[in-house]
Amino acid sequence: MDALVSLSKRRGFIFQSSEIYGGTGSCWDYGPLGVELKQNIKRVWWRDYIQRRPDMMGLDASILMHPTVWKASGHVDNFTDPMVDCLECRRRFRADKIDETPWVHYCPATKGNKFTIPPGEPCSHCGVTRTLCPECGKGELTPPRQFNLMFKTFMGPVEEDASLTYLRPETAQGIFVNFDNVLQSMRRKLPFGIGQIGKAFRNEITPGNFIFRTREFEQMEIEFFVNPLETVEGRPADEYWHERWIEDSMAWFRRYGLGEENLRLREHEADELAHYAKRTADIEYRFPIGWSELMGIANRTDFDLKQHAKFSGKALTYFDEERKEHVVPYVIEPSAGVDRALLAFLADAYREEEVRGEKRVVLRFHPELAPLKVAVLPLLKKREDIVRTAHAIRDELSKDWSVVYDDTAAIGRLYRRQDEVGTPYCVTVDVQTVGDQAKGEVGDGKVTIRDRDSMEQIRVPLEALGSVFRELLGGAAWASVAGRFERKGDG
Ligand code: ATP
């Protein structure tokens, strides 16, 4: 994790929010490369789930909603975490996560020496398990009490007159309250889904672990509405679609680079199921902090639509033409965090390799996610014709992709810099490309393309660059493209 945090800051991915004021522990800012990576994650998600699927549509609901929404959804009463306080140092912890952090222990068997013991383990000297505050190792903890995670705010110019409302803690409710609007305006038949990407806010008791748990984050959520009277392949439609969404979601994370061995499914036990859920399965990822939730896929039944119908007095039903009756759809909810997905993609892409006796740090991002697709590098920055050609290539390629020009170091170092931010391809312009007028030599009009992962290089005619990158960045394997061109030594 330390390597990721430091690389993220050094190379412009993620900065601590308000850092010059000492920072906040619970918010992070995405820098120039981080924002590209984040946009790419959201773009492929939107394309794969909203644009390409005939049964899906998009929505962008507001963050501030009518306060009754949160009464109806159960958030005012139930969106709580159990909190304990240390009576000594006053720090607060989530009671259900407290054994997931290392704990400080003053061991009586070693004259009170201080140890930091791994999460959940007993002291190897005296054998006791943690009962006191894990941070200071001294204070007793209060019994757990429920703490509501919603951020309160006021709507209107004068605080006292204004109505209390909340920053949304999930995007889902914006979809439920618009169910009928979408159904009527888009004339849909069940099953169909509505997807949304947007900010959510939770006043987490213990935010931390970089962008894993923050108080302001982004979600990519889908509410997929199914007819509970129908069966598909001999199973109730909601159960069939739940299974389909679990498989689809797993496949999606694998497609964009998460290793099979770092992904697993975890079913919620009956006693941890949310108040609305019939079944929930989490996709867990092996983060640097250990196996933790990456996304949840819940069967929310007809709970939300029924609640909103009850509180608003508006019918939120679907007319089943075949059976001639009104039904309240069941809902399958695949819900992923954008920031957590980004952390997983970053962690999975990160490699430290040894190349010719030197350490190379490389982010092996899927090309669709990589913040920069191509870097154009002049071999000699004093040669005006080389520099001009390199700029012209950048200008041309940047019509379609995010491309940078860099001449601030020697070529070896420039390659390493691009490896470190995960740029899949570099293009170098050299003397051979443009020739040497003084010596009467004409250029061959070819540039070198270097592949990040294999470090192989090929010579490609300038006029073929566009089509070659269309292939490579469109998913073609390097070997299948490289085979058609002249090979150069590795770079
Ligand atoms: P956790 O148990 O980790 O608190 P949750 O089960 O409350 O998470 P959900 O309500 O299912 O989370 O939210 C859906 C997704 O939103 C999560 O899988 C996660 O990716 C993301 N998410 C939730 N809370 C946060 C947070 N505080 N910071 C970043 N992402 C979050």
Side-chain angles (χ1 to χ4, degrees):
M1 189 68 111
D2 289 344
L4 295 181
V5 176
S6 124
L7 175 92
S8 293
K9 177 169 179 194
R10 196 160 33 83
R11 300 306 315 272
F13 282 89
I14 301 166
F15 310 124
Q16 196 174 32
S17 162
S18 325
E19 195 181 353
I20 58 167
Y21 287 101
T24 66
S26 59
C27 302
W28 297 86
D29 297 341
Y30 289 86
L33 296 190
V35 69
E36 293 288 340
L37 176 59
K38 199 177 184 202
Q39 298 275 22
N40 291 343
I41 293 170
K42 294 192 279 185
R43 189 177 47 79
V44 295
W45 185 91
W46 192 268
R47 184 194 61 200
D48 294 349
Y49 288 122
I50 313 294
Q51 181 191 328
R52 289 193 175 159
R53 288 183 61 134
D55 54 356
M56 289 285 305
M57 291 163 288
L59 183 81
D60 184 13
S62 65
I63 288 172
L64 297 173
M65 301 177 73
H66 194 288
T68 313
V69 167
W70 307 109
K71 265 308 292 163
S73 66
H75 282 82
V76 171
D77 296 326
N78 295 315
F79 196 61
T80 55
D81 276 337
M83 178 171 78
V84 292
D85 298 40
C86 171
L87 294 173
E88 189 78 26
C89 70
R90 302 276 158 204
R91 282 197 188 83
R92 292 180 157 169
F93 306 92
R94 238 175 95 168
D96 58 333
K97 301 273 182 195
I98 198 163
D99 283 330
E100 292 173 17
T101 51
W103 57 288
V104 168
H105 175 52
Y106 293 92
C107 178
T110 61
K111 297 189 188 140
N113 278 347
K114 182 181 173 185
F115 296 101
T116 301
I117 300 174
E121 289 184 15
C123 171
S124 57
H125 304 283
C126 68
V128 305
T129 48
R130 188 204 56 75
T131 52
L132 302 173
C133 171
E135 284 276 339
C136 71
K138 291 179 179 156
E140 297 274 346
L141 297 173
T142 60
R145 60 187 193 285
Q146 293 301 324
F147 169 77
N148 196 299
L149 300 185
M150 280 198 293
F151 276 98
K152 293 191 179 85
T153 188
F154 297 94
M155 201 105 82
V158 187
E159 223 173 79
E160 308 91 79
D161 303 343
S163 59
L164 171 73
T165 189
Y166 306 91
L167 300 186
R168 67 178 178 203
E170 61 175 29
T171 61
Q173 299 305 321
I175 299 180
F176 294 126
V177 300
N178 278 298
F179 167 74
D180 200 49
N181 285 335
V182 174
L183 182 68
Q184 301 306 332
S185 60
M186 306 305 287
R187 300 171 186 284
R188 285 301 170 127
K189 292 252 174 300
L190 290 179
F192 69 84
I194 304 175
Q196 163 161 240
I197 300 178
K199 289 257 173 158
F201 303 83
R202 296 182 188 178
N203 202 0
E204 298 279 1
I205 298 165
T206 39
N209 292 319
F210 197 25
I211 53 171
F212 179 83
R213 189 181 301 287
T214 52
R215 293 197 169 115
E216 173 181 341
F217 56 98
E218 234 173 328
Q219 292 186 310
M220 312 184 274
E221 289 199 302
I222 291 167
E223 306 301 328
F224 195 78
F225 300 94
V226 303
N227 189 336
L229 304 177
E230 281 177 357
T231 52
V232 188
E233 294 179 4
R235 304 176 62 187
D238 60 312
E239 293 178 14
Y240 167 85
W241 280 106
H242 197 180
E243 207 55 54
R244 278 284 300 273
W245 276 107
I246 292 171
E247 286 162 17
D248 265 30
S249 305
M250 273 286 207
W252 191 83
F253 282 113
R254 282 198 297 263
R255 191 180 326 144
Y256 293 106
L258 299 192
E260 185 90 44
E261 68 289 1
N262 294 329
L263 282 167
R264 72 178 186 196
L265 200 68
R266 190 183 72 82
E267 292 284 340
H268 280 211
E269 305 287 339
D271 61 353
E272 65 170 319
L273 274 180
H275 58 280
Y276 50 73
K278 169 170 158 184
R279 175 191 170 200
T280 298
D282 286 346
I283 294 181
E284 294 192 333
Y285 179 73
R286 200 206 308 250
F287 285 98
I289 51 169
W291 287 100
S292 307
E293 175 179 338
L294 171 59
M295 85 177 277
I297 305 146
N299 181 344
R300 293 178 81 126
T301 68
D302 54 8
F303 175 85
D304 302 88
L305 290 179
K306 275 192 169 154
Q307 284 293 103
H308 288 302
K310 185 169 135 197
F311 278 74
S312 68
K314 304 274 186 321
L316 297 176
T317 54
Y318 170 84
F319 187 65
D320 183 332
E321 298 280 355
E322 204 184 306
R323 296 173 185 82
K324 302 286 175 232
E325 61 178 292
H326 290 274
V327 292
V328 182
Y330 265 42
V331 178
I332 306 303
E333 179 190 73
S335 169
V338 179
D339 315 77
R340 262 187 214 182
L342 188 146
L343 182 58
F345 286 125
L346 190 65
D348 221 298
Y350 185 88
R351 304 276 197 296
E352 288 178 5
E353 300 173 351
E354 203 183 296
V355 177
R356 296 188 281 273
E358 274 184 37
K359 183 171 123 180
R360 158 170 116 131
V361 172
V362 56
L363 290 177
R364 289 178 177 256
F365 284 131
H366 186 284
E368 294 231 54
L369 300 189
L372 302 172
K373 309 299 185 210
V374 180
V376 186
L377 317 168
L379 207 64
L380 295 172
K381 70 172 179 183
K382 292 206 174 90
R383 279 280 300 264
E384 197 269 337
D385 46 354
I386 291 181
V387 169
R388 188 167 14 94
T389 308
H391 276 298
I393 294 171
R394 194 220 74 95
D395 292 349
E396 190 53 33
L397 295 179
S398 63
K399 289 177 187 163
D400 294 305
W401 302 286
S402 56
V403 181
V404 286
Y405 168 93
D406 192 3
D407 66 5
T408 56
I411 193 70
R413 171 169 288 191
L414 292 179
Y415 279 161
R416 293 292 175 269
R417 277 192 203 155
Q418 294 303 325
D419 289 342
E420 210 184 26
V421 298
T423 310
Y425 304 105
C426 291
V427 169
T428 40
V429 183
D430 53 24
V431 181
Q432 245 183 305
T433 314
V434 295
D436 195 336
Q437 260 183 345
K439 293 188 189 154
E441 290 168 11
V442 281
D444 64 3
K446 291 179 180 171
V447 289
T448 302
I449 300 182
R450 173 196 181 258
D451 173 47
R452 173 196 71 200
D453 294 346
S454 64
M455 293 182 286
E456 286 173 12
Q457 306 191 99
I458 51 173
R459 293 287 289 178
V460 176
L462 273 170
E463 60 277 10
L465 267 187
S467 63
V468 165
F469 281 127
R470 225 169 301 284
E471 271 185 81
L472 288 172
L473 295 167
W478 167 258
S480 73
V481 176
R484 303 203 306 267
F485 297 95
E486 185 192 330
R487 267 290 298 273
K488 244 186 102 179
D490 293 353

